[in-house]
Coordinates of all heavy atoms in Angstrom, one line a residue:
Chain A
I775 N -3.9 73.3 -1.0 CA -4.2 74.6 -1.7 C -3.8 75.8 -0.9 O -3.6 76.9 -1.5 CB -5.7 74.6 -2.1 CG1 -5.9 75.6 -3.3 CG2 -6.6 74.9 -1.0 CD1 -7.0 75.2 -4.2
E779 N 4.0 76.1 -2.5 CA 4.3 75.0 -3.4 C 5.8 74.9 -3.4 O 6.5 75.9 -3.7 CB 3.8 75.3 -4.8 CG 3.8 74.1 -5.7 CD 3.3 74.5 -7.1 OE1 3.6 75.5 -7.6 OE2 2.5 73.7 -7.6
R785 N 3.4 68.9 -11.6 CA 2.3 69.0 -10.7 C 1.3 67.9 -11.0 O 1.1 67.5 -12.1 CB 1.6 70.4 -10.8 CG 2.4 71.5 -10.4 CD 1.5 72.8 -10.3 NE 2.4 73.9 -10.0 CZ 2.9 74.8 -11.0 NH1 2.5 74.6 -12.2 NH2 3.6 75.7 -10.6
K809 N -12.6 73.6 -6.7 CA -11.2 73.7 -6.6 C -10.6 73.1 -7.8 O -9.6 73.5 -8.4 CB -10.6 73.0 -5.3 CG -10.9 73.8 -4.1 CD -10.0 73.2 -2.9 CE -10.4 73.8 -1.6 NZ -11.4 73.0 -0.9
T812 N -10.2 75.5 -10.7 CA -9.1 76.4 -10.7 C -7.8 75.6 -11.0 O -6.9 76.0 -11.7 CB -8.9 77.1 -9.3 OG1 -8.7 76.1 -8.3 CG2 -10.2 77.9 -9.0
M813 N -7.7 74.4 -10.4 CA -6.5 73.6 -10.5 C -6.2 73.2 -12.0 O -5.2 73.4 -12.5 CB -6.5 72.3 -9.7 CG -6.6 72.6 -8.2 SD -5.2 73.4 -7.5 CE -3.9 72.2 -7.6
D816 N -5.7 76.0 -14.6 CA -4.3 76.5 -14.5 C -3.4 75.5 -15.2 O -2.5 75.9 -16.0 CB -4.0 76.6 -13.0 CG -2.6 77.1 -12.8 OD1 -2.3 78.2 -13.3 OD2 -1.8 76.5 -12.1
K819 N -3.2 75.6 -18.9 CA -2.3 76.6 -19.4 C -0.9 76.3 -19.2 O -0.1 76.5 -20.1 CB -2.6 77.9 -18.6 CG -3.9 78.6 -19.1 CD -4.2 79.8 -18.2 CE -5.6 80.0 -18.0 NZ -5.9 80.7 -16.7
E824 N -4.1 74.8 -24.0 CA -5.3 75.6 -24.0 C -6.1 75.4 -25.3 O -7.4 75.5 -25.3 CB -5.0 77.1 -23.9 CG -4.6 77.5 -22.5 CD -3.8 78.8 -22.5 OE1 -2.6 78.7 -22.9 OE2 -4.3 79.8 -22.2
Chain B
Q371 N 0.8 86.8 -3.9 CA 0.4 85.6 -3.3 C 1.6 84.7 -2.8 O 1.6 84.2 -1.7 CB -0.5 84.7 -4.2 CG -1.8 85.3 -4.3 CD -2.7 84.5 -5.3 OE1 -2.3 83.5 -5.9 NE2 -3.9 85.0 -5.6
N372 N 2.5 84.3 -3.7 CA 3.5 83.4 -3.3 C 4.8 83.7 -4.0 O 4.9 84.4 -5.0 CB 3.1 82.0 -3.3 CG 2.7 81.6 -4.7 OD1 3.5 81.8 -5.7 ND2 1.6 80.9 -4.9
D374 N 6.6 81.8 -5.9 CA 6.8 81.4 -7.3 C 6.3 82.5 -8.3 O 6.9 82.6 -9.4 CB 5.9 80.1 -7.5 CG 6.4 79.0 -6.6 OD1 7.6 79.0 -6.3 OD2 5.5 78.2 -6.3
N375 N 5.2 83.2 -7.9 CA 4.7 84.1 -8.8 C 5.6 85.3 -9.1 O 5.4 86.1 -10.0 CB 3.3 84.7 -8.2 CG 2.3 83.6 -8.2 OD1 2.4 82.6 -8.9 ND2 1.2 83.8 -7.5
L378 N 6.9 86.0 -12.5 CA 6.1 86.8 -13.5 C 6.6 88.2 -13.5 O 6.8 88.8 -14.5 CB 4.6 86.7 -13.1 CG 3.8 85.5 -13.5 CD1 2.4 85.7 -13.0 CD2 3.8 85.5 -15.0
F465 N -2.8 88.4 -12.4 CA -2.4 87.1 -13.0 C -3.0 87.0 -14.4 O -2.6 86.2 -15.2 CB -2.8 86.0 -12.1 CG -2.0 86.0 -10.8 CD1 -2.7 86.2 -9.6 CD2 -0.7 85.8 -10.8 CE1 -2.0 86.3 -8.4 CE2 0.1 85.9 -9.6 CZ -0.6 86.1 -8.4
D466 N -4.1 87.7 -14.6 CA -4.7 87.7 -16.0 C -3.9 88.7 -16.8 O -3.7 88.4 -18.0 CB -6.1 88.1 -15.9 CG -7.0 87.1 -15.2 OD1 -6.6 86.0 -15.1 OD2 -8.1 87.5 -14.8
L467 N -3.5 89.8 -16.2 CA -2.9 90.8 -17.0 C -1.4 90.5 -17.4 O -1.0 90.7 -18.5 CB -3.0 92.2 -16.3 CG -2.3 93.4 -17.0 CD1 -3.1 93.7 -18.2 CD2 -2.3 94.6 -16.1
P469 N 0.7 87.9 -18.0 CA 1.2 87.1 -19.1 C 0.9 87.8 -20.4 O 1.8 87.9 -21.3 CB 0.3 85.8 -19.1 CG -0.2 85.7 -17.7 CD -0.3 87.1 -17.2
V470 N -0.2 88.5 -20.6 CA -0.5 89.2 -21.8 C 0.4 90.4 -21.9 O 1.0 90.6 -23.0 CB -2.0 89.8 -21.7 CG1 -2.4 90.3 -23.1 CG2 -2.9 88.7 -21.3
Chain C
S1023 N -10.5 94.3 -21.7 CA -9.9 93.0 -21.4 C -8.4 93.1 -21.0 O -7.8 94.2 -21.3 CB -10.0 92.1 -22.6 OG -9.1 92.6 -23.6
P1024 N -7.8 92.1 -20.5 CA -6.4 92.2 -20.2 C -5.6 92.6 -21.5 O -4.6 93.4 -21.4 CB -6.0 90.8 -19.8 CG -7.3 90.2 -19.2 CD -8.4 90.8 -20.0
E1025 N -6.0 92.1 -22.6 CA -5.4 92.5 -23.9 C -5.4 94.0 -24.1 O -4.4 94.6 -24.3 CB -6.2 91.9 -25.0 CG -6.0 90.4 -25.2 CD -5.0 90.2 -26.4 OE1 -5.3 90.6 -27.5 OE2 -4.0 89.6 -26.1
Ligands
FAD2399 C1 -3.6 76.2 -6.1 C2 -3.2 77.1 -7.2 C3 -1.9 77.6 -7.2 C4 -1.4 78.4 -8.3 N1 -0.1 78.8 -8.3 C5 0.3 79.6 -9.3 C6 1.6 79.9 -9.4 O1 2.4 79.5 -8.5 N2 2.0 80.7 -10.4 C7 1.1 81.2 -11.3 O2 1.5 81.9 -12.2 N3 -0.2 80.9 -11.3 C8 -0.6 80.1 -10.3 N4 -1.9 79.8 -10.2 C9 -2.8 80.2 -11.3 C10 -3.3 81.6 -11.1 O3 -4.1 81.8 -10.0 C11 -4.0 82.0 -12.4 O4 -5.0 81.1 -12.6 C12 -3.2 82.0 -13.6 O5 -1.9 82.6 -13.4 C13 -3.9 82.8 -14.6 O6 -3.3 82.5 -15.8 P1 -3.5 83.4 -17.0 O7 -2.8 84.7 -16.7 O8 -3.1 82.7 -18.2 O9 -5.1 83.9 -17.0 P2 -6.4 83.2 -17.7 O10 -7.0 82.4 -16.8 O11 -6.0 82.7 -19.1 O12 -7.2 84.5 -18.0 C14 -8.2 84.9 -17.1 C15 -9.1 85.9 -17.7 O13 -8.5 86.7 -18.6 C16 -9.0 86.6 -19.9 N5 -7.9 86.6 -20.9 C17 -6.9 85.7 -20.9 N6 -6.1 86.0 -22.0 C18 -6.7 87.0 -22.6 C19 -6.4 87.7 -23.8 N7 -5.3 87.3 -24.5 N8 -7.2 88.7 -24.2 C20 -8.2 89.0 -23.5 N9 -8.6 88.4 -22.4 C21 -7.8 87.4 -21.9 C22 -9.8 85.3 -19.9 O14 -10.9 85.5 -20.8 C23 -10.2 85.2 -18.5 O15 -11.4 85.9 -18.2 C24 -2.4 78.9 -9.2 C25 -3.7 78.5 -9.2 C26 -4.1 77.6 -8.2 C27 -5.5 77.1 -8.2

Side-chain angles (χ1 to χ4, degrees):
Chain A
I775 199 152
E779 192 178 47
R785 293 193 184 98
K809 285 193 189 96
T812 64
M813 295 298 289
D816 184 53
K819 284 178 213 149
E824 285 159 285
Chain B
Q371 289 173 3
N372 59 48
D374 300 331
N375 292 343
L378 277 177
F465 296 111
D466 294 340
L467 180 67
V470 190
Chain C
S1023 68
E1025 285 258 301

